[in-house]
Amino acid sequence: MCDVERTRPDMDLNSTTDTPTPEINCDHAPSLAVILNATVSVLLSLQLDLVGVIYDHTAAHEVALLVPLLSRHAVRVVTYSAHDVINMQTTANYLDVMSGSSERSVSLVVSADVNVSVGVFHSVSMRQAQMGKQSGLDLYTKWLTPLPCGVMTSRIEEVTRDLYNVAAVVPRGGSDVRCNGTWFYLDVVTLIVKPEGKRFESIGDMRDDHLSLHTEVFPNARRGLNGQHFYVGLYVWFPFTMRGVEGNKTVYTGFCVDLVMELSRRLNFTYSFKEPADNEWGSVKSDGTFTGIVGMLEKLEIDISVAAFITTPERERVMEATFPFYYDNVGVLYRRPDPAENMWKTYLHPFHVKVLGFIGVSLLGGTLLYALLGILSPRDEKKRRGNYVMQFLAETNDEGGVLGAALIQHGLEELPAYGSRRFFLAFWWMFCIAVAATYRGNLMAFLLVAKEELPFTTLSELASQDTYTWGVTGSTVVEYLFNVSKRTDFRMLGEGLERFKAIDPDTNSLDPMVHYNKVQQGHYAYISDMVPMEIWVTKDCNLKLLKETVIPLPFVIGLQNNSAYVTTFNTHLLHIDQIGLYQVWKKKWWPRGGKCSISSQYGTKKVVSLREAQSAFFILGAGLGLAMLLLLAESLWASHRCRQARGSIMERLHTRTVQLDLPEVHDVRRRDDATTPPPVAQLCQASITAL
């Protein structure tokens, strides 16, 4: 409460001092002249920058004196005809000037005819209705009017029920006092918001040229939204908004609900929640209107939206947005590949497939070079026997395993006789030692330290692979960005979404849990904001998040289009951030930890299990299998040669044309007359050996 008492030097409208305007005769218009003097005192007490004066011909003389008086106190004055304002000809222009000004301003309505003042306030209320609830005319414009004697303030109350900042200077005693003299006792009254409605109450008076104010002239200006009721749009999106039931009542909890409660306390408004009937965020329909929360703002079904909501240029055509109250990023959630699927490749993992390929090429090329050095060496005694091609092939056949053996055992029992071969072999050993040491170290790391193979690490790799499909929540900004972006990887993801939607509509489901279940089934990536997915990952170690974060997602509060409340909401959102309430709510609603963490998945030492070591047994099994196949091939080949040899020998024995110098054949001859023929196995062995 304040008790302000001010004198009014140079404020008497009847004074001619420093004023070239004619003197007002209060005997001719006592009510308006004296009351307007007190009104000027109120104006100057507010320390204004701008005063807008709406008047008619009954107050033209007084206004002519008023303008230079206010100008001498550095107050800018704009004047409008009350007749034009009442007929709505200049109402919009006047209100734009006053409400759009950043200056401290008040509108002054002056007329000796109360019907004119009532008409002005009525036209302002009509303009408020045309512009909508959030035009700000009710909260951010201030009105002051001198009421002639005999006028009851209830008439002004009736036409200013849509305004909050209205004050008047009225003769004390109101309509019960006769208007036949100069008034020295005047009351300053202002609208006060009460539970039963708005009523004029006295906040000061004017006595003997002294103004005494007991409180602010416009107290409602500091009372936020003055208890207005707001319909708040919500979207159930864990952990920002959750829906529950208590008894027969639906209740909402979460980060956004706490934010609404705090804003309600700060800005002085009541609220009730609404969800979009179509369960959408907001996408453009064929007729150009929007669905979801955006559509509710567009159709004025809600006053504000407080959700994990992101604006776009298209959405801002039909709504306003505040500063972000939370920053998130686009994430990609997928199920980790089953390690058992590729565990048999453990002994191939230490080297990339390209490295293995180059080692193979080096072994083949080194073998050919080693053979070539042998036949080209001047110390090779066999080099001039036969042609070079046959020598090269023979040398390759003889020495083909030398470099392979050197690769495995890093040495040979016998060194080559030629210096060129020895020199080449020395560097080959160094190459083998380096490769083997690298392989051994990486193999130990693969066996003892957990490391996973990821199917993709960036959005570009996701868009390029064909093993995983992907999806997004329908009508979200993520889908919008993929459809309008000029980035190649985003366009590829958008094109993929269209293909997948045609095959499986669930890839564009509005329910995040549908996408979660598809992720659990494997080979599916869910693209959405990070917060809910980060929580899922801490609860299920089989889930994985893409490390790349390329799209920031600022969550904002949405308001009706052209809302004058944006600045007010922004001011309080910034203050809430500065005092750390966002972090408090995050700790409150984000689940604390989980059984999975980065430290439990990477870099942990462990005992090598049979699953990790299975590759060694696969190698052993593969060697045994190859040996058995080689044995079978040798057996088939030996059997074939045996049949050939037996037929040849039997033919020779029968014709007696060829004498074989073999003990086994002589034994056969000596047993010509015997009844038992020689064993077939001995005959085949003898035949093969002979051949």
Side-chain angles (χ1 to χ4, degrees):
M1 299 291 292
C2 62
D3 190 354
V4 181
E5 190 170 87
R6 294 182 175 89
T7 59
R8 298 183 299 113
D10 301 327
M11 292 178 58
D12 189 352
L13 293 182
N14 294 314
S15 173
T16 58
T17 305
D18 297 329
T19 305
T21 53
E23 180 179 348
I24 296 177
N25 187 348
C26 291
D27 291 334
H28 294 164
S31 300
L32 184 60
V34 175
I35 297 171
L36 191 56
N37 278 338
T39 303
V40 171
S41 299
V42 175
L43 288 173
L44 294 181
S45 73
L46 297 175
Q47 298 180 347
L48 300 171
D49 300 314
L50 173 66
V51 172
V53 181
I54 302 175
Y55 68 101
D56 68 347
H57 68 280
T58 64
H61 183 67
E62 288 78 3
V63 170
L65 298 176
L66 174 68
V67 172
L69 179 60
L70 291 176
S71 298
R72 288 202 305 270
H73 289 82
V75 179
R76 188 164 64 92
V77 181
V78 294
T79 58
Y80 280 77
S81 166
H83 176 76
D84 292 342
V85 172
I86 292 173
N87 293 327
M88 304 296 288
Q89 296 177 3
T90 59
T91 306
N93 176 263
Y94 174 78
L95 293 175
D96 288 343
V97 170
M98 299 302 294
S99 61
S101 173
S102 60
E103 302 171 296
R104 290 169 295 182
S105 61
V106 165
S107 295
L108 180 64
V109 181
V110 185
S111 176
D113 185 356
V114 68
N115 292 320
V116 173
S117 300
V118 169
V120 169
F121 285 118
H122 179 69
S123 65
V124 172
S125 296
M126 290 180 60
R127 181 60 181 170
Q128 160 80 5
Q130 292 175 354
M131 296 180 65
K133 180 179 180 180
Q134 297 186 23
S135 65
L137 295 181
D138 54 348
L139 293 174
Y140 302 134
T141 58
K142 299 173 182 178
W143 301 85
L144 181 62
T145 182
L147 296 180
C149 61
V151 177
M152 299 184 63
T153 56
S154 58
R155 289 205 62 186
I156 303 300
E157 288 177 358
E158 292 174 359
V159 293
T160 58
R161 61 185 58 182
D162 292 329
L163 302 175
Y164 286 91
N165 301 305
V166 181
V169 178
V170 297
R172 177 164 295 182
S175 60
D176 295 332
V177 179
R178 292 182 305 161
C179 307
N180 59 358
T182 302
W183 295 94
F184 296 98
Y185 298 98
L186 304 170
D187 280 332
V188 181
V189 297
T190 189
L191 280 181
I192 302 294
V193 177
K194 298 287 186 178
E196 63 275 9
K198 288 175 285 187
R199 294 288 184 269
F200 275 112
E201 291 188 1
S202 176
I203 59 167
D205 55 34
M206 185 79 178
R207 295 185 181 185
D208 299 327
D209 256 6
H210 289 83
L211 175 66
S212 177
L213 297 176
H214 309 298
T215 186
E216 296 176 278
V217 177
F218 302 107
N220 295 331
R222 296 185 179 273
R223 295 176 181 175
L225 300 177
N226 286 280
Q228 295 186 65
H229 188 81
F230 276 16
Y231 289 101
V232 180
L234 291 180
Y235 194 98
V236 176
W237 191 264
F238 178 82
F240 291 94
T241 305
M242 287 84 75
R243 186 196 310 113
V245 178
E246 290 183 0
N248 296 325
K249 184 179 179 182
T250 301
V251 294
Y252 297 93
T253 57
F255 185 101
C256 288
V257 177
D258 284 356
L259 177 57
V260 172
M261 294 171 62
E262 179 65 18
L263 290 172
S264 170
R265 183 187 67 81
R266 288 167 168 265
L267 294 175
N268 186 23
F269 66 88
T270 60
Y271 59 88
S272 55
F273 294 122
K274 281 187 176 183
E275 293 186 58
D278 54 13
N279 198 34
E280 291 196 15
W281 291 99
S283 56
V284 182
K285 297 190 293 187
S286 58
D287 61 358
T289 61
F290 281 81
T291 63
I293 285 183
V294 181
M296 295 173 73
L297 285 170
E298 181 183 22
K299 291 177 284 189
L300 308 182
E301 295 176 358
I302 58 175
D303 297 295
I304 61 173
S305 67
V306 184
F309 179 81
I310 305 145
T311 187
T312 65
E314 283 74 11
R315 290 175 175 177
E316 289 183 358
R317 289 190 292 103
V318 298
M319 57 166 285
E320 301 292 337
T322 65
F323 292 152
F325 63 86
Y326 190 89
Y327 287 92
D328 200 0
N329 286 284
V330 169
V332 180
L333 179 73
Y334 60 96
R335 187 175 179 83
R336 298 174 186 273
D338 186 359
E341 292 181 0
N342 298 316
M343 195 61 72
W344 63 274
K345 300 179 182 178
T346 300
Y347 280 73
L348 299 177
H349 285 164
F351 284 151
H352 191 274
V353 62
K354 291 183 179 180
V355 177
L356 295 174
F358 271 94
I359 292 175
V361 171
S362 299
L363 179 60
L364 177 61
T367 299
L368 297 177
L369 180 59
Y370 189 76
L372 186 63
L373 291 174
I375 64 172
L376 295 179
S377 174
R379 300 178 59 184
D380 185 9
E381 298 177 354
K382 301 182 293 181
K383 79 171 188 175
R384 299 193 180 278
R385 300 176 184 176
N387 61 55
Y388 284 104
V389 175
M390 296 304 298
Q391 289 184 48
F392 179 73
L393 294 176
E395 193 74 18
T396 302
N397 181 65
D398 294 341
E399 306 293 345
V402 173
L403 298 188
L407 179 63
I408 296 174
Q409 64 183 19
H410 304 170
L412 295 175
E413 294 182 0
E414 296 183 5
L415 295 176
Y418 324 130
S420 57
R421 274 189 166 183
R422 289 186 178 184
F423 191 79
F424 174 75
L425 197 59
F427 280 89
W428 176 259
W429 284 340
M430 287 189 287
F431 167 77
C432 294
I433 292 172
V435 170
T438 305
Y439 178 84
R440 186 182 299 111
N442 278 6
L443 179 61
M444 185 178 298
F446 270 91
L447 292 176
L448 298 180
V449 180
K451 186 176 181 180
E452 58 185 346
E453 281 192 35
L454 302 178
F456 44 82
T457 57
T458 64
L459 287 175
S460 179
E461 291 179 6
L462 171 62
S464 301
Q465 55 80 49
D466 55 6
T467 303
Y468 281 70
T469 58
W470 55 86
V472 301
T473 307
S475 81
T476 58
V477 167
V478 177
E479 181 180 17
Y480 165 82
L481 290 175
F482 288 162
N483 289 332
V484 303
S485 176
K486 296 182 179 180
R487 283 183 47 167
T488 303
D489 53 346
F490 284 10
R491 287 203 307 269
M492 293 174 64
L493 290 169
E495 293 169 358
L497 283 174
E498 296 301 320
R499 294 196 308 270
F500 301 146
K501 281 194 295 184
I503 301 173
D504 182 6
D506 284 346
T507 58
N508 199 231
S509 172
L510 299 173
D511 186 358
M513 295 309 299
V514 172
H515 297 278
Y516 175 81
N517 293 331
K518 290 181 69 65
V519 169
Q520 290 287 17
Q521 295 171 8
H523 297 288
Y524 180 79
Y526 177 38
I527 307 175
S528 185
D529 57 291
M530 292 278 286
V531 171
M533 296 193 292
E534 286 175 337
I535 296 172
W536 290 337
V537 167
T538 62
K539 295 178 180 292
D540 189 341
C541 301
N542 292 320
L543 300 181
K544 176 70 177 176
L545 272 175
L546 193 70
K547 292 184 179 180
E548 182 185 32
T549 53
V550 295
I551 308 176
L553 300 177
F555 296 160
V556 300
I557 291 178
L559 297 99
Q560 294 176 3
N561 203 22
N562 299 317
S563 173
Y565 299 163
V566 175
T567 301
T568 301
F569 274 86
N570 282 338
T571 300
H572 289 277
L573 288 174
L574 290 175
H575 188 254
I576 291 172
D577 184 23
Q578 291 169 357
I579 64 177
L581 278 181
Y582 293 146
Q583 295 302 317
V584 173
W585 297 333
K586 185 174 180 180
K587 291 180 180 179
K588 176 182 178 181
W589 295 111
W590 270 237
R592 297 183 179 179
K595 63 180 181 179
C596 306
S597 63
I598 295 178
S599 61
S600 66
Q601 298 171 20
Y602 303 100
T604 55
K605 297 181 180 179
K606 61 176 183 175
V607 177
V608 178
S609 66
L610 179 61
R611 189 173 68 173
E612 282 85 12
Q614 62 178 302
S615 293
F617 295 96
F618 288 157
I619 293 173
L620 180 61
L624 180 60
L626 290 174
M628 296 302 296
L629 289 175
L630 184 59
L631 176 61
L632 178 61
E634 289 177 344
S635 299
L636 293 175
W637 178 251
S639 176
H640 173 69
R641 293 296 300 271
C642 179
R643 287 194 299 271
Q644 287 182 339
R646 183 171 59 184
S648 177
I649 291 174
M650 293 303 294
E651 181 180 356
R652 293 175 184 178
L653 290 176
H654 179 72
T655 58
R656 304 290 183 172
T657 58
V658 179
Q659 298 296 323
L660 295 175
D661 190 16
L662 295 173
E664 294 80 352
V665 178
H666 290 299
D667 291 341
V668 172
R669 287 177 177 173
R670 286 195 296 270
R671 293 198 298 272
D672 280 343
D673 298 326
T675 58
T676 303
V680 175
Q682 294 181 4
L683 183 61
C684 287
Q685 184 64 40
S687 302
I688 294 172
T689 303
L691 294 175

